[in-house]
Amino acid sequence: MKAVSKWFYLSAIFAALTFSSCDGHLDDTERKQAVKDDVQADGYYDDMISETDDIQTLILEDKSGNQNGSKDGSKTYTIVTNPDGSRDITVTFVNYTNLNFANSHVKNGIVNIHVTGTPDSTTFIRVITFTNFTIDGNQILGTITVTKVSSIANTIQIANGQIIFTDGTTYTRQGVKTRTQIDGMLTPSIWDNVYQVTGSFTGINRQGLSYSHDVVTPLVRYMSYRYFVSGILELEVGNRDIVIDFGDGTLDNLVDITINGTTYPDVPLTH
């Protein structure tokens, strides 16, 4: 009986430790890092949607009649019009930094955009994929589908999203969000646009833990700024809830993070 009891207790301890590990028993410093990693992943994919918006604008503004050409020096594109009217746009980035962004991300590689319809038509769909494409040396993978749902709103679906960081860690992402324009409609430039974002994503983070990303209060982003400036996001990592408050609309990199009832104010986001 003693041997059985000893074996039973050892098994119970092992199971508890295993469950704790799989459950993501992180300290608050690690949880704050999980928030920064999630914001970074979100920013990389949003960055590429903005680049796609920019390419679409450049094509529409091209007055030369020759749509095969280069723009902005180290960002070049070619267009193939298919028999069904859809277009395949190939964009090549070489050490490219978009000066319209309030960041210094450097892009290299190829982005492929399959476009059905036009911005002013009822159907306007852009499917974005990547070929040997990196942002700041971190490889971006997956398929982004941007679908027009109204004159001011799109759904953005990420399928098989994965970021392979320079240190070998990975971040996966899949889900759908809705981006609705709330300002900047009266000017031709896209860089003064302001968007409201809702939706949810899931995946595996850089620590190897499953996560869910759910917008509780709509997030607000300025097109030319890298961070959300207001709204509330709930991030569940390893069955632990983390609440991120992006603030009152001030353009800064500070968020309030609440973990298990403890709030850490003005945590800086850097990436």
Side-chain angles (χ1 to χ4, degrees):
M1 288 296 293
K2 290 182 179 180
V4 172
S5 298
K6 181 179 180 180
W7 173 251
F8 174 81
Y9 285 120
L10 287 174
S11 299
I13 292 170
F14 177 78
L17 290 172
T18 302
F19 177 78
S20 175
S21 174
C22 293
D23 197 36
H25 192 67
L26 305 176
D27 62 32
D28 284 2
T29 298
E30 291 170 315
R31 288 173 183 160
K32 284 186 280 187
Q33 184 59 49
V35 169
K36 295 179 182 182
D37 291 343
D38 186 80
V39 171
Q40 182 179 30
D42 212 42
Y44 280 173
Y45 283 108
D46 278 351
D47 199 334
M48 293 321 303
I49 294 164
S50 297
E51 288 286 7
T52 303
D53 289 341
D54 191 32
I55 284 291
Q56 187 68 40
T57 301
L58 292 173
I59 293 169
L60 293 174
E61 291 178 351
D62 193 344
K63 306 300 183 182
S64 67
N66 178 13
Q67 293 182 318
N68 295 330
S70 65
K71 300 286 184 182
D72 297 337
S74 57
K75 178 172 68 177
T76 62
Y77 65 86
T78 60
I79 303 172
V80 174
T81 301
N82 301 310
D84 63 359
S86 65
R87 290 168 296 165
D88 289 309
I89 304 170
T90 302
V91 190
T92 302
F93 296 84
V94 179
N95 295 324
Y96 177 76
T97 299
N98 193 323
L99 299 181
N100 292 296
F101 286 124
N103 63 40
S104 57
H105 290 320
V106 179
K107 303 179 181 74
N108 282 282
I110 296 172
V111 174
N112 313 289
I113 312 167
H114 181 77
V115 182
T116 302
T118 60
D120 58 353
S121 63
T122 302
T123 299
F124 181 44
I125 302 171
R126 290 168 290 168
V127 180
I128 306 162
T129 56
F130 306 95
T131 303
N132 297 324
F133 182 78
T134 62
I135 298 178
D136 296 339
N138 305 304
Q139 187 174 9
I140 311 298
L141 300 168
T143 300
I144 305 173
T145 303
V146 184
T147 304
K148 176 181 175 180
V149 295
S150 76
S151 61
I152 60 170
N154 300 284
T155 58
I156 299 168
Q157 180 182 36
I158 299 177
N160 301 315
Q162 184 180 40
I163 301 169
I164 303 175
F165 289 89
T166 54
D167 64 0
T169 59
T170 62
Y171 204 98
T172 68
R173 204 167 191 79
Q174 53 273 327
V176 181
K177 64 182 176 181
T178 299
R179 184 185 70 167
T180 303
Q181 188 174 357
I182 59 174
D183 202 1
M185 298 87 150
L186 301 181
T187 65
S189 172
I190 66 171
W191 297 107
D192 62 354
N193 290 352
V194 183
Y195 294 100
Q196 190 176 79
V197 177
T198 59
S200 60
F201 294 98
T202 60
I204 305 295
N205 71 7
R206 295 177 73 175
Q207 297 156 323
L209 298 172
S210 61
Y211 72 87
S212 63
H213 159 127
D214 297 290
V215 177
V216 177
T217 301
L219 307 176
V220 174
R221 184 191 293 280
Y222 287 76
M223 183 76 160
S224 60
Y225 195 66
R226 74 163 74 173
Y227 301 110
F228 293 115
V229 299
S230 65
I232 297 175
L233 172 69
E234 185 174 273
L235 185 67
E236 183 180 295
V237 179
N239 296 324
R240 299 291 190 274
D241 288 337
I242 306 169
V243 177
I244 306 102
D245 187 338
F246 286 89
D248 60 3
T250 304
L251 272 67
D252 59 29
N253 68 329
L254 303 177
V255 296
D256 293 344
I257 299 176
T258 301
I259 304 170
N260 292 336
T262 300
T263 297
Y264 299 89
D266 296 336
V267 176
L269 301 172
T270 55
H271 64 271

